[in-house]
Amino acid sequence: MKNKFLIILASILVISCAKKTEDQADSNPNISSFVDPFIGTGGHGHTYPGATVPFGMLQVSPVNGVSEWDWCSGYHYSDSMAIGFSHLSLSGTGIGDLADIIFMPTNKAFDLSANPMSRDSIAYKSSYNHKNEKATPGYYQVFLEDSDVNVELTTSKRTAYHKYTFKKGDSQSVIVNLGAAINWDKAVETSIKVEDEYTISGFRFSTGWAKNQKVFFVATFSKPILNYKLYADGKLANKNIVKGAKTASQLFFDAAKGDEVLAKVALSSVSVANAKDNFDATEETFETTKKAAEGLWNAALSHIVVETPVDSLKTIFYTAMYHAQLAPVTFSDKNGQFRLENDSIVTATNYTAYSTLSLWDTFRAEHPLLTIIAPDRVSDMVNSMLAYYDTKKILPVWTLYANETNTMTGYHSIPVILDAYRKGIRGFDAEKAFEAMKNTMMQDDRGLIHYKLYGFIPYSLLDESVTITLEYAYDDWCVAQMAKELGKEADYQYFLNRSKAYQQIFDKESGFMRGKSVDGKSWNAPFDPKHSNHREQTDYTEGNAWQHSWFVPHAVDDLIKIHGGNEIFASRLEKLFTESSEITGNNVSADITGLIGQYAHGNEPSHHIAYMFNHADQPWRTQYWARQIMDTQYNTTPNGLSGNEDCGQMSAWYVLSSIGLYPMNPASGEYEIGSPIFEKATINLPENKTFVIEAKHVSNNNFYIQSATLNGKTFTATSLSHKDILKGGTLHFVMGNKPNKNWGIKKNTQQ
């Protein structure tokens, strides 16, 4: 009888365990299947659909070859013509660069001596149909109609894999074009060498946004190269190596040995030898690499797991998680070496160097998000910034392939460093980091000489003076907080005082931040808060007074005070969203998109604004407008982003806002409470901890917070600290269709 009981008990346990495993599989499926890399490839999103891995060195992607603004990534969904597949791409910027080392399979021989003046004159271009195109995380496929070739791409961290399937009996060849360029990029010196019957190598030096970009490459093929033609500056060469401003090659393979030609490609900023060293192990294949890439993405995407019956919301969320982990990109080679702008070669010791730092955008939400979902990479990113500081004694503004582009305003590597340190992320020299932060804000370039002299930047001395003043004030506050963390009282007081510069340019009468003259008394006139002039003869960067007057994230309570109190401030803030969306001027910035009233979600300066109502004792307005932005500015189509993705910032806003949190002050270590859209979101933390955000009764209409508890205790605060998240626990909201105007009010707040 006893043995019979044990058998029955064991059977029950087996069935129970099997059911538990099945339930777990159902609740956590292949998350990458929800990602649609085509989201953002239309409109002004400027994303690319090609293959990459989280923060990978390579982005192997199709190139349309059209030099217009919306083709910044090399690809736009409205197009249906390809000139090849490149190995470096920018995700969602407003700048066209990269698209380096272009490969194009074809079934015909071509004369590559001509210098095509446009895409239409490229003889080997091919049309394609979106019906025969597919993209998933780590994989891209398209059928080229003109040459009857199916192209498949995948990649590891440092090696790209191409698989070309030709029509049976067709000629098989691959064109390599190092002279091709998109938008502002221009090749200045290139070289191709046929090393042996399976291998080619070379380099491409170019100038453009990145003034000194040097890319070395090596490629191996699965079949012997039967024949080849090499061209340099339009001339056919009878040797195995060519050099010139523009070089190209056509390689021919034996069609009798199967319909497939595979290629493996590795790059380096240092040398061909390093590119060879960056190759994956020889046993890796296209299929094993594709599977590994999918696994890497599933792991990266599962740092936050959301639950909702609405699949479209999962698609938007996980695609946003995907886009938020494309950049910054790995830049150092396997041996740690990487090239700096001055052509010195340095070695990243005990860290991975990163480039593509779009800091004007990403300091706002992308980098704070990474402290949650990729904290192990954050110190490496800080060390990368400090490596760039070593060359110029100024922290980077916007680095591309180790080049300082000096694009956009402020020095927003500073808040990224402070945010990391405040959140307990170490792995970098804090004293050196503070030295870099302080020295950057004490130098004279980019208007700082005027800022230090006048306490603000007079409009007559520098364009975009209002935006620059506001951003320097915030950077100063960050330096002050880092000084405080390190016990540097004198520096703390000095930079804290400078961080009040916003007070100098606030016009209480109009309620806007305005350009002020050298005398410190008169305003720039005439004044139209809706007026925009793109990047010249203007007081605002890519926007107008309506959009830029709210950038005081470090002192919102004081901003409310100088407005005249909560009611006046909240009324003006509400008007931002309800004012007409007319933008005046003859040279309006194309970046002003995603308009809700004068709020412009398509550009980053607006991203924190909806969360400021929390500080004016009207958190229900934050809940309303955060939900309106999520519902109207994101969707599952190629036009699913309302503006430039900007290396993850547009998507990071959604990731955080959709789970009900947002870092209004990106370096504060605090997240404002907004309006969660998921029934449940689980943040998977280190040490097997989880932080769960639940939203009971949430729906399209129920987006107002009625009540909340944190770990079972009443919660009425409108912000949550990073430290509280790291402890693990459960934040539980009850949602409703009408605002609870008593929840989150300061006089009632307790935590």
Side-chain angles (χ1 to χ4, degrees):
M1 178 66 77
K2 182 178 179 182
N3 289 340
K4 185 177 180 181
F5 172 77
L6 290 174
I7 291 170
I8 294 171
L9 178 61
S11 299
I12 292 171
L13 288 173
V14 168
I15 293 170
S16 175
C17 289
K19 182 69 170 66
K20 183 178 180 182
T21 302
E22 185 180 272
D23 289 344
Q24 287 176 337
D26 288 343
S27 64
N28 190 20
N30 180 10
I31 293 178
S32 65
S33 66
F34 289 107
V35 175
D36 183 354
F38 290 112
I39 292 176
T41 60
H44 298 318
H46 297 179
T47 62
Y48 61 84
T52 190
V53 295
F55 311 101
M57 176 179 278
L58 304 177
Q59 309 84 40
V60 56
S61 192
V63 177
N64 295 139
V66 176
S67 297
E68 294 182 14
W69 188 55
D70 281 329
W71 277 253
C72 281
S73 72
Y75 176 98
H76 196 267
Y77 196 80
S78 65
D79 211 329
S80 58
M81 191 69 66
I83 66 164
F85 304 89
S86 66
H87 293 80
L88 296 173
S89 303
L90 283 168
S91 178
T93 69
I95 305 292
D97 211 320
L98 301 186
D100 289 68
I101 319 297
I102 292 179
F103 281 35
M104 182 63 166
T106 183
N107 61 353
K108 300 179 182 67
F110 292 96
D111 179 3
L112 303 181
S113 61
N115 181 27
M117 302 306 294
S118 68
R119 179 181 72 169
D120 292 340
S121 57
I122 297 176
Y124 54 82
K125 66 183 182 296
S126 178
S127 59
Y128 61 90
N129 191 307
H130 292 305
K131 293 180 180 179
N132 295 318
E133 184 184 30
K134 180 181 179 181
T136 59
Y139 175 75
Y140 174 84
Q141 173 272 325
V142 69
F143 181 74
L144 300 178
E145 296 178 343
D146 291 10
S147 51
D148 284 330
V149 180
N150 190 58
V151 176
E152 297 176 82
L153 308 171
T154 191
T155 184
S156 64
K157 188 175 183 178
R158 292 185 176 89
T159 305
Y161 292 72
H162 301 237
K163 182 196 286 187
Y164 308 136
T165 304
F166 292 82
K167 183 179 178 182
K168 193 171 186 64
D170 272 7
S171 297
Q172 300 176 2
S173 76
V174 176
I175 291 171
V176 179
N177 190 340
L178 304 189
I182 62 171
N183 294 346
W184 304 324
D185 180 54
K186 178 184 177 182
V188 294
E189 184 180 0
T190 65
S191 177
I192 302 175
K193 179 182 180 181
V194 179
E195 293 199 356
D196 57 44
E197 61 179 347
Y198 291 98
T199 310
I200 66 169
S201 63
F203 61 80
R204 184 180 190 271
F205 301 166
S206 62
T207 187
W209 195 27
K211 299 299 182 186
N212 182 30
Q213 187 189 344
K214 294 185 175 177
V215 184
F216 298 85
F217 80 96
V218 62
T220 62
F221 296 91
S222 59
K223 290 182 176 182
I225 301 168
L226 290 182
N227 190 16
Y228 60 86
K229 292 182 179 180
L230 296 178
Y231 298 83
D233 298 326
K235 296 180 180 179
L236 181 64
N238 293 316
K239 49 186 178 180
N240 72 328
I241 183 171
V242 289
K243 289 184 180 180
K246 295 182 178 182
T247 57
S249 176
Q250 185 164 16
L251 313 173
F252 299 90
F253 302 92
D254 188 353
K257 294 186 176 181
D259 300 332
E260 292 181 353
V261 174
L262 293 92
K264 289 173 61 174
V265 184
L267 308 184
S268 167
S269 68
V270 176
S271 64
V272 168
N274 273 23
K276 290 179 179 178
D277 188 51
N278 284 340
F279 261 138
D280 287 343
T282 54
E283 61 267 21
E284 297 300 333
T285 66
F286 186 95
E287 293 304 324
T288 61
T289 304
K290 176 187 172 186
K291 185 176 181 180
E294 182 181 309
L296 288 171
W297 277 115
N298 276 322
L301 297 169
S302 65
H303 288 297
I304 303 178
V305 177
V306 297
E307 297 179 29
T308 174
V310 185
D311 280 351
S312 62
L313 290 181
K314 288 183 180 179
T315 294
I316 296 170
F317 178 83
Y318 286 116
T319 303
M321 280 283 283
Y322 169 79
H323 281 143
Q325 297 178 82
L326 295 182
V329 302
T330 297
F331 189 55
S332 53
D333 295 330
K334 275 186 180 179
N335 63 8
Q337 291 184 330
F338 62 101
R339 182 182 299 271
L340 294 178
E341 186 176 359
N342 62 5
D343 278 330
S344 63
I345 306 300
V346 296
T347 301
T349 304
N350 298 322
Y351 74 95
T352 296
Y354 289 89
S355 191
T356 308
L357 294 166
S358 181
L359 292 163
W360 188 76
D361 312 290
T362 57
F363 86 95
R364 304 169 196 268
E366 159 81 357
H367 283 282
L369 175 63
L370 295 185
T371 66
I372 298 173
I373 65 173
D376 55 322
R377 299 180 188 270
V378 173
S379 62
D380 286 5
M381 293 174 187
V382 172
N383 280 317
S384 301
M385 296 174 195
L386 296 179
Y388 302 142
Y389 168 75
D390 285 338
T391 64
K392 290 188 174 181
K393 298 306 176 186
I394 298 173
L395 282 166
V397 177
W398 208 129
T399 61
L400 176 66
Y401 227 74
N403 283 239
E404 177 56 83
T405 67
N406 272 314
T407 299
M408 310 312 292
T409 47
Y411 283 99
H412 300 316
S413 44
I414 290 173
V416 172
I417 295 170
L418 171 64
D419 183 48
Y421 192 78
R422 275 193 150 175
K423 291 176 177 174
I425 294 172
R426 299 299 183 257
F428 60 92
D429 186 335
E431 290 291 339
K432 180 180 179 180
F434 176 74
E435 170 200 307
M437 296 162 76
K438 178 180 177 179
N439 287 350
T440 297
M441 292 307 294
M442 290 303 294
Q443 46 98 19
D444 292 339
D445 289 348
R446 291 164 50 85
L448 276 167
I449 188 172
H450 310 309
Y451 178 81
K452 291 185 294 183
L453 179 61
Y454 297 99
F456 66 97
I457 297 177
Y459 71 84
S460 60
L461 300 182
L462 190 67
D463 280 343
E464 304 176 335
S465 63
V466 171
T467 299
I468 296 172
T469 296
L470 293 173
E471 293 187 9
Y472 281 163
Y474 180 65
D475 292 339
D476 273 345
W477 181 84
C478 293
V479 179
Q481 300 308 307
M482 190 69 174
K484 187 177 183 179
E485 293 278 348
L486 299 177
K488 301 178 186 295
E489 182 63 23
D491 285 325
Y492 169 68
Q493 293 296 338
Y494 174 79
F495 285 101
L496 186 65
N497 184 60
R498 275 195 3 182
S499 74
K500 299 173 184 177
Y502 62 89
Q503 297 175 352
Q504 301 293 322
I505 58 172
F506 178 69
D507 175 17
K508 189 171 184 178
E509 183 175 339
S510 69
F512 292 101
M513 299 289 177
R514 293 183 56 184
K516 186 176 267 189
S517 66
V518 173
D519 64 17
K521 299 177 182 178
S522 55
W523 302 106
N524 192 3
F527 175 65
D528 174 4
K530 294 183 178 179
H531 185 268
S532 166
N533 201 47
H534 185 65
R535 305 308 308 267
E536 59 182 12
Q537 296 179 344
T538 179
D539 294 335
Y540 310 95
T541 303
E542 295 183 356
N544 60 25
W546 269 114
Q547 292 136 23
H548 283 265
S549 293
W550 312 98
F551 189 74
V552 189
H554 58 294
V556 179
D557 293 341
D558 187 55
L559 183 64
I560 292 171
K561 181 180 178 181
I562 64 177
H563 269 270
N566 283 348
E567 290 305 316
I568 295 174
F569 178 83
S571 176
R572 288 173 175 171
L573 199 55
E574 181 77 5
K575 193 175 181 182
L576 167 74
F577 291 94
T578 58
E579 184 74 9
S580 83
S581 294
E582 177 193 16
I583 306 295
T584 61
N586 297 320
N587 185 29
V588 172
S589 177
D591 298 276
I592 304 176
T593 57
L595 286 165
I596 302 175
Q598 286 288 312
Y599 173 90
H601 193 71
N603 210 17
E604 282 68 23
S606 287
H607 279 191
H608 69 291
I609 299 175
Y611 292 89
M612 300 178 86
F613 287 109
N614 280 355
H615 283 252
D617 268 357
Q618 296 190 19
W620 64 89
R621 293 192 187 277
T622 283
Q623 294 155 35
Y624 176 83
W625 288 115
R627 185 58 181 261
Q628 288 296 306
I629 297 164
M630 284 184 272
D631 287 349
T632 62
Q633 303 302 308
Y634 297 85
N635 62 59
T636 59
T637 72
N639 293 344
L641 297 175
S642 61
N644 294 171
E645 163 63 16
D646 282 321
C647 297
Q649 170 58 28
M650 194 69 65
S651 290
W653 187 96
Y654 187 89
V655 168
L656 289 165
S657 293
S658 67
I659 64 172
L661 306 174
Y662 192 77
M664 183 196 66
N665 176 348
S668 66
E670 300 280 328
Y671 303 92
E672 296 293 321
I673 303 296
S675 179
I677 66 172
F678 299 111
E679 283 80 352
K680 184 178 180 180
T682 302
I683 302 173
N684 292 306
L685 300 165
E687 302 175 1
N688 293 320
K689 294 180 181 178
T690 60
F691 188 84
V692 178
I693 300 171
E694 298 173 338
K696 187 177 181 179
H697 303 314
V698 70
S699 69
N700 287 340
N701 296 318
N702 294 348
F703 49 78
Y704 289 112
I705 296 171
Q706 306 300 300
S707 63
T709 59
L710 178 61
N711 299 326
K713 296 181 180 180
T714 299
F715 181 83
T716 57
T718 58
S719 66
L720 182 72
S721 74
H722 188 79
K723 290 180 181 178
D724 282 337
I725 292 174
L726 291 185
K727 291 175 185 176
T730 300
L731 178 59
H732 180 85
F733 295 106
V734 177
M735 311 299 289
N737 61 5
K738 294 180 180 179
N740 176 1
K741 296 186 179 181
N742 290 315
W743 185 88
I745 306 306
K746 289 177 185 176
K747 64 182 179 182
N748 299 328
T749 297
Q750 57 181 354
Q751 184 174 341

